[in-house]
Amino acid sequence: SNSTTKKPDVSCLRVYDNPLLVADTGHAQQASLTVVEIKKPMRTGYKPLESEEKDPILQALNYLKRLREGAQTKNGRSIPNADQIPGFVYVLADLTNHLIECCDLWQLQKTADGMGYFGYHPNTKYNAYIQVISFDGLLASAKERNRAFFDTLSLPSK
């Protein structure tokens, strides 16, 4: 497949204020690049570092790398120093044994609740914070975050 046609499920350039892109310093200090890769629930057969098709962490990091190489605003303007903008990579998937193997080989740490993994890849091609989130972990986090809202309105939150 052609690498120019590969696209992440969700990507975002976050810039707090457009003038930052034309600031005297020449780079967007408050910007960040975010890539979200969503995998089919219960998917198996991941193989760490083998290919983008088999390793969702490698896939998301390579999307980030390609974004850095051709980073542009929605108006088509190039992003100065795109390689220095912090990157955030999120992989949303069920934590199968094969995916846990991927997390281990990328040297990610298990989250305290055991429902995900996180880490940082310092290589300048990536310069990325990585988070692998299980569907169960995402659901639990959303429920916890919204519990006060449901409690205030006396609505069931289960």
Side-chain angles (χ1 to χ4, degrees):
S1 62
N2 185 345
S3 66
T4 58
T5 61
K6 293 181 178 179
K7 294 182 179 162
D9 292 323
V10 180
S11 66
C12 167
L13 169 67
R14 182 176 182 189
V15 180
Y16 293 107
D17 191 6
N18 283 335
L20 286 171
L21 293 175
V22 292
D24 293 338
T25 58
H27 61 277
Q29 294 177 343
Q30 297 295 319
S32 64
L33 287 166
T34 301
V35 169
V36 179
E37 186 59 28
I38 304 166
K39 293 300 175 192
K40 185 173 89 177
M42 303 308 296
R43 179 175 166 182
T44 59
Y46 297 116
K47 293 189 178 164
L49 307 176
E50 183 177 298
S51 67
E52 287 190 24
E53 288 73 27
K54 297 285 187 177
D55 184 339
I57 299 168
L58 176 64
Q59 182 181 30
L61 285 170
N62 281 342
Y63 286 144
L64 179 65
K65 185 177 95 167
R66 287 193 287 273
L67 281 172
R68 288 188 186 290
E69 290 166 355
Q72 295 180 339
T73 65
K74 66 180 178 180
N75 299 330
R77 295 184 61 179
S78 292
I79 309 289
N81 298 324
D83 58 327
Q84 296 172 23
I85 297 171
F88 295 88
V89 165
Y90 298 94
V91 175
L92 182 59
D94 281 320
L95 289 181
T96 62
N97 289 338
H98 290 142
L99 184 55
I100 291 170
E101 254 184 75
C102 291
C103 292
D104 288 343
L105 277 171
W106 284 100
Q107 300 179 13
L108 303 182
Q109 306 298 311
K110 188 181 263 193
T111 56
D113 61 10
M115 294 191 190
Y117 285 80
F118 68 95
Y120 176 73
H121 199 303
N123 185 297
T124 53
K125 286 189 292 188
Y126 302 122
N127 183 21
Y129 298 91
I130 304 165
Q131 191 164 359
V132 176
I133 306 163
S134 68
F135 289 111
D136 290 339
L138 182 68
L139 187 60
S141 175
K143 282 183 179 176
E144 189 60 37
R145 215 175 278 134
N146 293 306
R147 187 178 313 264
F149 173 75
F150 283 97
D151 289 349
T152 300
L153 296 176
S154 300
L155 297 170
S157 60
K158 292 185 167 95

